[in-house]
């Protein structure tokens, strides 16, 4: 396990600005297709090129935060390893809330 320290304390999600993470996704070449997926390890490499080493667990935690804030789509557990920006999403259920039963 690798731990990165910031001011003598373990690095946390708050030390990775949202816009810097999302810009790393934007700069990473996509796979094409309707959602233009970016592979996790390539996004992490792009982010680390700017910020330095980021432990994998911290990177995944930040991705989950951005997903929960509806700023990032894809697989947040890391098993598929694909991300996309929500403004690029063309899947009706991927990055948008599921319709409520009352509205159906």
């Amino acid at each position: 396990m690798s731990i990165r320290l910031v001011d003598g304390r373990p690095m946390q999600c708050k030390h990775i600005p949202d816009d810097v993470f999302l810009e790393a996704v934007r700069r990473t070449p996509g796979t094409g297709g309707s959602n233009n997926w970016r592979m996790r390890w390539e996004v992490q490499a792009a982010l680390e090129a700017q910020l330095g080493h980021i432990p994998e667990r911290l990177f995944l935690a930040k991705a989950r935060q951005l997903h929960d804030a509806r700023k990032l789509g894809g697989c947040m557990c890391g098993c598929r390893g694909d991300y996309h920006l929500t403004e690029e999403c063309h899947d009706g259920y991927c990055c948008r809330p599921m319709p409520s039963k009352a509205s159906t």
Side-chain angles (χ1 to χ4, degrees), residues 41-73:
W41 49 88
E42 292 173 353
V43 172
Q44 186 169 357
L47 188 61
E48 287 179 339
Q50 185 172 357
L51 299 179
H53 173 71
I54 299 171
E56 183 177 20
R57 288 177 53 168
L58 177 60
F59 177 83
L60 292 172
K62 183 64 179 188
R64 280 190 300 275
Q65 274 189 351
L66 292 170
H67 179 264
D68 291 347
R70 300 199 183 280
K71 296 179 180 180
L72 186 67

Side-chain angles (χ1 to χ4, degrees), residues 9-94:
R9 295 180 173 209
M11 187 178 195
Q12 299 176 357
C13 288
K14 66 184 178 182
H15 297 121
I16 305 170
D18 291 0
D19 58 336
V20 172
F21 190 106
L22 295 171
E23 186 56 35
V25 174
R26 192 172 282 110
R27 282 193 322 267
T28 302
T31 60
S34 63
N35 287 330
N36 202 25
W37 302 102
R38 278 67 162 214
M39 304 318 300
R40 178 183 65 82
W41 49 88
E42 292 173 353
V43 172
Q44 186 169 357
L47 188 61
E48 287 179 339
Q50 185 172 357
L51 299 179
H53 173 71
I54 299 171
E56 183 177 20
R57 288 177 53 168
L58 177 60
F59 177 83
L60 292 172
K62 183 64 179 188
R64 280 190 300 275
Q65 274 189 351
L66 292 170
H67 179 264
D68 291 347
R70 300 199 183 280
K71 296 179 180 180
L72 186 67
C75 176
M76 295 308 123
C77 75
C79 70
R80 285 194 332 238
D82 48 33
Y83 298 138
H84 64 274
L85 300 169
T86 55
E87 66 257 19
E88 296 174 348
C89 187
H90 301 292
D91 184 339
Y93 295 106
C94 178

